[in-house]
Amino acid sequence: MAVLQSQLDTRSEQFRQNKEEMTVKLEQMDELYAEAARGGGAEALERLAKRNKMPIRERIAWALDPDSPFLEISPLAAWRSHVAIGSGFVVGVGVIEGVECVILGHDPSVRAGAFNHFNSKKLMRGLEIARENRLPYVQFVESAGADLRGGGGGGGGGGTPVDPLLRVEGHFAESGRLFYEITELSKMRIPTISLVFGASTAGGAYQPGMSDYNIFVKNQAMVSLGGPPLVKMATGEDAEPEPLGGADMHTSTSGLGDYLAQNEMDGIRLLREVVGHLNWRKLGPGPSKPADPPIHDPQELLGVVGEDLKKPFDIREVIARVVDGSRFEEFKPRYGPTLVTGWGSIHGYPVGILGNNGALMSESSEKASQFIQLCNQVDVPLLFLHNITGYVVGTDFEQGGITKNGSKMINAVTNSTVPHITVIVGASYGAGNYGMSGRAFGTKFTFIWPTAKIAVMGPEQMAGVMTIIQKASAERRGAEFDEEANAQREAAVMANAEEQSKGLFATSRVSDDGMIDPRDTRDVVGFALSAVANDAVKGTKEFGTWRM
């Protein structure tokens, strides 16, 4: 297989500028990661320590195999909202006793591990990852139930106040789906394990209630449909916590608990023993290619993409620093050159790669459709590298079949059954996001670089389209068009669209699985390929009808 030759000039002014801009973004990202790791803050963590409780990240770290990776999902959720960054939940894929597992943990330092809009989305995403990739599901449970104190948090800033009843109804719907999802995993023979560290009442009680295996920590776990105050109000009974739902009671009397842990570390030991006896076997193929590192330095990825996404770059420069040995067999290199397609491997896992080098034209869309079919015939997963403004528009392009062939590409992406992994390195606008297997298309994992921008269209295009519509409307009414008011409106639209198209905003709203350092792309994608290999890879030769 040919080795990609790099044309990247690491001594150029453009490279230097790109690297400086990326370094600033990475420093901001590291600060936000550190803030998320602090959870509810120093005082909250100190209170946990006084009660002999570990922070959630420490609990997870002790459960993982030594020196093994942990792929955290949406670590920056809830940025610029009423909720602490990270949302009071940690979700990710980690290795326990040699088994890749989805791990979810309530953070008791953030509002006692309560559910909110953001961590409910993370929770459901974790369950989806477990189901779609056939990964055992581990829950570290300690939750006060629904958080009824905060705002909606749907936009930027401090969050929009929401009627408490709406919050309750929203949480009720999400909780109901949680019950369904955990139960469905068990039906699919995907093990579910709960390690209960503290209080888990009302809907939270059903997390262990629906699990295959339950480990309760002595003198800490408290599981009941209603806590003592609710029992008092509902029945008049003055219930005591331990007889009502304590770890001793559930492991000796009710039978809800399967293992009684003497303390948190003992609970983690028991968890590792349970995972160790699952006799878990991956159904997909393992690495089959040489996993030698790229010959081109991944550190140079810092200078490939800059702040200004209008400045083009060759996606091959990214591929050359991600695939094994920088080897890449390009498919149809002379046809549809605005899309690069071809085969390589990452950490030994074969992969078909599609990367944007411009707008999707009719020819590049056709090429993509054929390439996706070929990868499905030989059961090879697909990696999509986004830097796409969308499908090209205009009279000549329509007559050339862009709608027909663009639809053909989306048909191929939709019906493809091999695993898809997406990394958005630059722009991902409009239907181009769909054609390149965006989150809405059942992609197994979606990651973004700090330079990513995701939107219906670019801010300038959005403002310009609105201006054209407003002018046409004024003409139909016979009214004078107010240029000054329109200029102010355009500026406001562009500023808002620019802010909400940024990757940081998107990742904070759980629109992807996390923002990654470009230099980590190879390892992140490699671990994702290993995770999807827990299930059998079965490509399809059957696609929906498309216009020839």
Side-chain angles (χ1 to χ4, degrees), residues 1-4 289 319-320 322-333 340-346 349-355 367-383 418:
M1 190 177 291
V3 173
L4 283 170
K289 304 289 185 181
I319 297 171
V322 171
V323 295
D324 296 334
S326 299
R327 293 181 296 273
F328 185 63
E329 178 192 338
E330 189 165 352
F331 175 71
K332 267 185 162 59
V340 175
T341 56
W343 287 275
S345 64
I346 298 175
Y349 287 94
V351 64
I353 300 174
L354 299 91
K367 178 167 74 170
S369 304
Q370 182 185 0
F371 182 71
I372 291 168
Q373 285 183 314
L374 292 173
C375 288
N376 271 264
Q377 282 190 326
V378 294
D379 298 338
V380 172
L382 293 167
L383 172 63
V418 296

Side-chain angles (χ1 to χ4, degrees), residues 297-485:
D297 190 356
Q299 292 288 330
E300 295 171 348
L301 290 172
L302 295 181
V304 173
V305 188
E307 183 78 34
D308 185 1
L309 296 181
K310 293 178 183 177
K311 295 180 179 178
F313 63 89
D314 191 344
I315 199 67
R316 294 178 185 86
E317 300 292 356
V318 176
I319 297 171
R321 291 159 177 82
V322 171
V323 295
D324 296 334
S326 299
R327 293 181 296 273
F328 185 63
E329 178 192 338
E330 189 165 352
F331 175 71
K332 267 185 162 59
R334 300 178 63 191
Y335 186 77
T338 60
L339 184 72
V340 175
T341 56
W343 287 275
S345 64
I346 298 175
H347 281 283
Y349 287 94
V351 64
I353 300 174
L354 299 91
N356 302 119
N357 257 359
L360 284 164
M361 305 288 190
S362 185
E363 295 83 1
S364 51
S365 300
E366 267 195 319
K367 178 167 74 170
S369 304
Q370 182 185 0
F371 182 71
I372 291 168
Q373 285 183 314
L374 292 173
C375 288
N376 271 264
Q377 282 190 326
V378 294
D379 298 338
V380 172
L382 293 167
L383 172 63
F384 294 81
L385 300 174
H386 290 220
N387 182 37
I388 178 66
T389 55
Y391 288 91
V392 70
V393 297
T395 302
D396 289 344
F397 298 112
E398 287 296 345
Q399 293 178 0
I402 183 59
T403 297
K404 179 183 70 174
N405 289 322
S407 299
K408 188 184 298 183
M409 178 179 175
I410 292 175
N411 188 315
V413 170
T414 302
N415 289 284
S416 168
T417 55
V418 296
H420 294 187
I421 296 169
T422 289
V423 180
I424 302 175
V425 303
S428 186
Y429 291 151
N433 176 276
Y434 307 148
M436 291 295 290
S437 195
R439 180 71 172 268
F441 278 69
T443 306
K444 299 292 188 182
F445 290 96
T446 301
F447 303 102
I448 65 173
W449 282 12
T451 42
K453 289 187 178 180
I454 304 102
V456 175
M457 63 182 73
E460 292 180 3
Q461 290 78 10
M462 184 179 294
V465 167
M466 291 183 67
T467 294
I468 292 171
I469 293 172
Q470 293 287 343
K471 282 184 176 180
S473 177
E475 288 178 4
R476 286 194 301 270
R477 299 193 314 269
E480 184 179 351
F481 186 70
D482 190 335
E483 293 285 358
E484 183 177 346

Side-chain angles (χ1 to χ4, degrees), residues 116-130:
N116 57 61
H117 168 69
F118 294 100
N119 62 34
S120 293
K121 289 180 72 174
K122 286 177 67 170
L123 169 62
M124 298 312 295
R125 177 59 182 150
L127 284 159
E128 181 181 36
I129 290 172

Side-chain angles (χ1 to χ4, degrees), residues 93-226:
V93 181
V95 182
I96 301 175
E97 288 292 308
V99 177
E100 290 158 345
C101 303
V102 169
I103 302 170
L104 178 146
H106 300 257
D107 187 344
S109 75
V110 180
R111 297 191 175 184
F115 288 97
N116 57 61
H117 168 69
F118 294 100
N119 62 34
S120 293
K121 289 180 72 174
K122 286 177 67 170
L123 169 62
M124 298 312 295
R125 177 59 182 150
L127 284 159
E128 181 181 36
I129 290 172
R131 181 182 68 249
E132 293 295 324
N133 299 289
R134 189 179 165 270
L135 294 169
Y137 182 73
V138 176
Q139 305 181 100
F140 286 7
V141 183
E142 182 167 6
S143 173
D147 181 0
L148 305 181
R149 295 173 290 177
T160 305
V162 174
D163 185 292
L165 180 59
L166 295 179
R167 289 200 297 270
V168 172
E169 289 176 345
H171 174 67
F172 184 74
E174 289 164 347
S175 296
R177 188 65 191 181
L178 164 65
F179 303 163
Y180 178 94
E181 293 277 354
I182 296 175
T183 304
E184 184 185 44
L185 290 179
S186 183
K187 175 186 175 182
M188 296 172 68
R189 302 184 70 179
I190 298 174
T192 56
I193 305 167
S194 284
L195 173 46
V196 185
F197 289 93
S200 183
T201 58
Y206 285 101
Q207 287 183 263
M210 297 290 179
S211 295
D212 296 339
Y213 300 89
N214 286 323
I215 303 163
F216 288 4
V217 177
K218 187 179 180 69
N219 297 326
Q220 290 186 195
M222 164 62 192
V223 180
S224 61
L225 297 184

